[in-house]
Amino acid sequence: MTRLMDVLPLFESDFRVQVVFTRARTSNFREGVTEYLSDLGVAVAPWEQAVGEEFDLAVTASLGDDLHLIKAPVVTVSHGAGYNKLGKPETGNRKPETGNRKPETDPHSHSAPGVFGISRETLVRDGVLIPSALVLSHEEQRDRVGRSCPEALPAAVVAGDPTFDRILAGRRWRDDYRRALGADDGRRLVLLTSTWGPSSLLGRRPELIRRVLRELPRDEYRVVLVAHPNAWYGHGVWQMRTWLASCERAGLTVLPPRAGWQAALAAADHVIGDHGSVTFYGAALGTHTMLGTFPHDELDPDSPVGAFGRSARVLDDTASIERRLLDDAAAHRPDRFAPETSRLTSLPGRSGAALRALFYGLMNLDEPAVPARVTPPDMPEPLALDWPRAARVGPLLVGAEGDTSEVRVRRFPAEMYRALGGGPGRSHLLVDASEPDEAWRDSADVLIRREPTAGARAWSEGTLATETGLRMAAALDSDGAVVASLIPGSPRTAAQDRPLTVRVRLQDATAGTPVEAGLAALWRADADGCDLWRPLTVKLHLGERTATVRIEPVD
């Protein structure tokens, strides 16, 4: 469905063409389709009606159903980055789980596996070729069609990849996409992507998501997850959100199944994935791309994706995630996978024109006078956990290394260390005042109220006095500073052996530096025994961002 929505806008503004949708009956992956059609507001014909009437054209991105019953020229387009996967067509019964297939029960199925989409098993029924036009994205696919189903060669049309063209068109909107994904503050955007099934990233290495979140500092990386719709609807949207809940609380940005992944690809600095199309599209864009897993035995070894799987490095468990990611990125160049990704499309940026000419030719209609449009991807709209399922910002383990004059701060999601215990060395726990989990509040070293308020001092002093075990309470003042109350570890006089309130302000800060990061400098200064009853200036490093932290006692 999502693939068709990259193609069907080619008919826009043409009053001569009425588009009607229908749903085939044989796939078990049907959840969510009815809602999608309803939200689009399209005309839908029941399958029985669709096969009973005559149409001028049928366009499909699926080959596993009884398409031979459609009374119209059938155009088949790939629903991925070309034709790569070995396997049988979607004509048999599948279990709801994402990828565990039962034996085929459809009378038209065959036992010999081929490349899905270009094999005889998917293209021929009762000795008759189903598609009037088989859309290929690249010339290299002609050779494989010739080997797998030579009778389909006369119907083969090389028309590029419309989805990749949309991603290409979205590159000029990269900054806007990054802003929508919360990565417009200098952080690197890491896109985790998983197709569906037991050999996918989610099926084979779901713990990698937690490792990435645990080991990449929160202020230096933004981690976004894209999962195949079959993963969402095979298991259920509720189940997927339940599985990912702790990761979302740790800062994972999750994109919904219908859209957003194209924009995320245009925005990404790093892609970590599997054998799915999103991973390959990332490599084709020239983005630094690594693998979390790759089932070589499920891919056509002659396909571009199969060859890519033999070339890309796997992010394994032998070293830290960040070290492996940065080392591989340092050796990366945009044309690194060009021998494989150059076979994605023969018509980069021109698929729309080729497809529209094909469609209108089969309908015996003159094309519209205006050129075919290529629209960039929509702005991504991440899913979100609302309170009380998650705090505004999840608990952070904060490390501040250095001395009185200069500190380097790195903050990690405490949620990812909860089951392991411990955390980065010499770290303290920073918890948001909106945290609904009492266990986190009870364990907090620092409690912070991030909403600006004119009563910041009263809140900080009152909270420190009433919260047992708390070392520091802080609130964002209405003037942009942070007011923090603490009991200094090293009072200089007997009169100073009492709670102290200080104002923490950032000066000359790099754009995007959160003012609360100054609390780490305050914590380090206190731990080092500095005299906090006197003004103090500390140089702060937070990833690539810097600031001067000014700490002054409040009279």
Side-chain angles (χ1 to χ4, degrees):
M1 184 67 197
T2 57
R3 179 58 59 127
L4 285 178
M5 296 313 299
D6 287 336
V7 173
L8 294 178
L10 293 171
F11 298 111
E12 71 174 15
S13 302
D14 192 340
F15 284 95
R16 298 171 298 170
V17 178
Q18 164 73 58
V19 178
V20 177
F21 291 74
T22 190
R23 290 184 52 176
R25 302 166 297 178
T26 53
S27 175
N28 279 342
F29 288 104
R30 301 170 67 180
E31 289 77 7
V33 177
T34 299
E35 294 82 358
Y36 196 175
L37 292 168
S38 176
D39 290 345
L40 288 171
V42 299
V44 180
W47 178 255
E48 292 76 12
Q49 178 185 348
V51 298
E53 296 186 11
E54 292 188 4
F55 293 87
D56 297 292
L57 182 69
V59 184
T60 178
S62 175
L63 285 167
D65 300 300
D66 292 332
L67 299 175
H68 63 293
L69 300 178
I70 295 287
K71 298 179 178 65
V74 175
V75 178
T76 60
V77 299
S78 168
H79 60 246
Y83 302 92
N84 308 286
K85 294 183 180 180
L86 299 173
K88 298 177 182 179
E90 292 186 30
T91 53
N93 295 331
R94 293 190 191 181
K95 296 164 70 175
E97 292 82 10
T98 56
N100 298 326
R101 300 189 184 187
K102 289 184 177 180
E104 301 288 348
T105 57
D106 185 89
H108 300 294
S109 65
H110 299 264
S111 58
V115 179
F116 183 73
I118 59 173
S119 66
R120 180 174 285 105
E121 291 75 25
T122 51
L123 295 175
V124 175
R125 291 290 173 86
D126 301 326
V128 178
L129 185 69
I130 298 172
S132 300
L134 170 63
V135 174
L136 310 178
S137 62
H138 194 279
E139 288 287 349
E140 69 86 15
Q141 294 160 16
R142 285 189 187 273
D143 295 335
R144 291 192 286 137
V145 171
R147 294 194 298 269
S148 62
C149 188
E151 58 265 50
L153 277 175
V157 179
V158 176
D161 187 318
T163 299
F164 188 61
D165 285 357
R166 292 194 67 199
I167 301 170
L168 290 176
R171 290 182 298 182
R172 63 174 294 193
W173 301 99
R174 173 181 169 87
D175 290 344
D176 298 86
Y177 295 149
R178 291 177 67 85
R179 187 177 304 110
L181 294 168
D184 59 332
D185 53 3
R187 286 185 286 180
R188 297 183 181 94
L189 196 156
V190 179
L191 178 61
L192 297 175
T193 172
S194 176
T195 187
W196 61 283
S199 58
S200 68
L201 182 68
L202 281 172
R204 190 170 285 182
R205 290 188 71 191
E207 78 285 350
L208 182 62
I209 301 173
R210 300 179 64 88
R211 278 201 64 200
V212 167
L213 291 168
R214 183 167 62 245
E215 298 184 28
L216 297 184
R218 175 72 178 268
D219 299 291
E220 299 173 43
Y221 298 88
R222 183 69 159 174
V223 184
V224 178
L225 175 68
V226 166
H228 194 285
N230 279 0
W232 283 98
Y233 291 106
H235 294 289
V237 172
W238 178 89
Q239 181 64 77
M240 284 284 286
R241 296 298 300 280
T242 300
W243 280 334
L244 295 170
S246 63
C247 295
E248 289 192 64
R249 290 195 295 269
L252 179 68
T253 298
V254 179
L255 291 175
R258 293 186 192 176
W261 65 269
Q262 301 98 325
L265 273 176
D269 298 299
H270 309 275
V271 176
I272 303 171
D274 51 22
H275 57 298
S277 295
V278 179
T279 311
F280 192 62
Y281 282 138
L285 287 172
T287 305
H288 172 238
T289 304
M290 299 186 74
L291 297 172
T293 186
F294 197 92
H296 296 277
D297 58 335
E298 296 183 15
L299 277 295
D300 179 3
D302 295 330
S303 70
V305 174
F308 164 71
R310 297 189 294 271
S311 300
R313 292 184 64 182
V314 176
L315 190 65
D316 56 30
D317 298 325
T318 60
S320 78
I321 293 289
E322 186 178 28
R323 186 74 270 144
R324 292 296 301 274
L325 189 73
L326 295 181
D327 285 349
D328 193 63
H332 179 76
R333 59 184 189 278
D335 63 349
R336 178 180 186 178
F337 301 112
E340 297 84 22
T341 59
S342 63
R343 295 188 287 159
L344 170 63
T345 173
S346 292
L347 301 171
R350 294 178 288 152
S351 179
L355 285 172
R356 196 176 74 171
L358 172 65
F359 295 158
Y360 277 80
L362 289 171
M363 292 189 296
N364 294 315
L365 279 179
D366 292 333
E367 285 191 67
V370 298
R373 295 180 65 227
V374 178
T375 58
D378 296 335
M379 286 294 162
E381 297 182 5
L383 301 173
L385 287 178
D386 298 324
W387 195 89
R389 291 182 294 170
R392 183 176 297 101
V393 178
L396 297 172
L397 288 169
V398 183
E401 298 298 328
D403 54 30
T404 304
S405 62
E406 191 167 7
V407 296
R408 182 169 296 277
V409 177
R410 304 194 97 186
R411 306 193 299 177
F412 299 85
E415 185 83 42
M416 294 294 95
Y417 287 89
R418 196 168 200 173
L420 303 176
R426 301 181 71 187
S427 60
H428 58 274
L429 180 62
L430 175 70
V431 177
D432 192 90
S434 68
E435 177 57 58
D437 189 334
E438 290 296 327
W440 283 125
R441 291 180 65 99
D442 292 344
S443 303
D445 296 306
V446 180
L447 192 67
I448 181 170
R449 178 177 175 174
R450 289 181 167 92
E451 310 98 327
T453 175
R457 178 175 184 176
W459 186 91
S460 299
E461 293 177 348
T463 301
L464 182 68
T466 56
E467 294 279 349
T468 304
L470 195 63
R471 295 281 304 280
M472 186 187 302
L476 185 61
D477 205 348
S478 54
D479 66 355
V482 173
V483 177
S485 296
L486 70 158
I487 301 175
S490 302
R492 294 298 184 269
T493 68
Q496 293 174 349
D497 190 12
R498 57 183 175 81
L500 168 68
T501 300
V502 299
R503 184 174 296 274
V504 180
R505 189 183 300 277
L506 300 188
Q507 300 173 343
D508 302 321
T510 305
T513 306
V515 64
E516 69 189 57
L519 293 175
L522 173 62
W523 182 277
R524 179 79 270 141
D526 182 48
D528 288 345
C530 294
D531 184 0
L532 299 179
W533 298 87
R534 296 177 180 272
L536 181 67
T537 300
V538 182
K539 184 70 173 181
L540 173 75
H541 297 269
L542 187 70
E544 299 298 321
R545 288 167 283 183
T546 61
T548 299
V549 183
R550 181 68 175 173
I551 303 170
E552 297 178 315
V554 176
D555 294 334

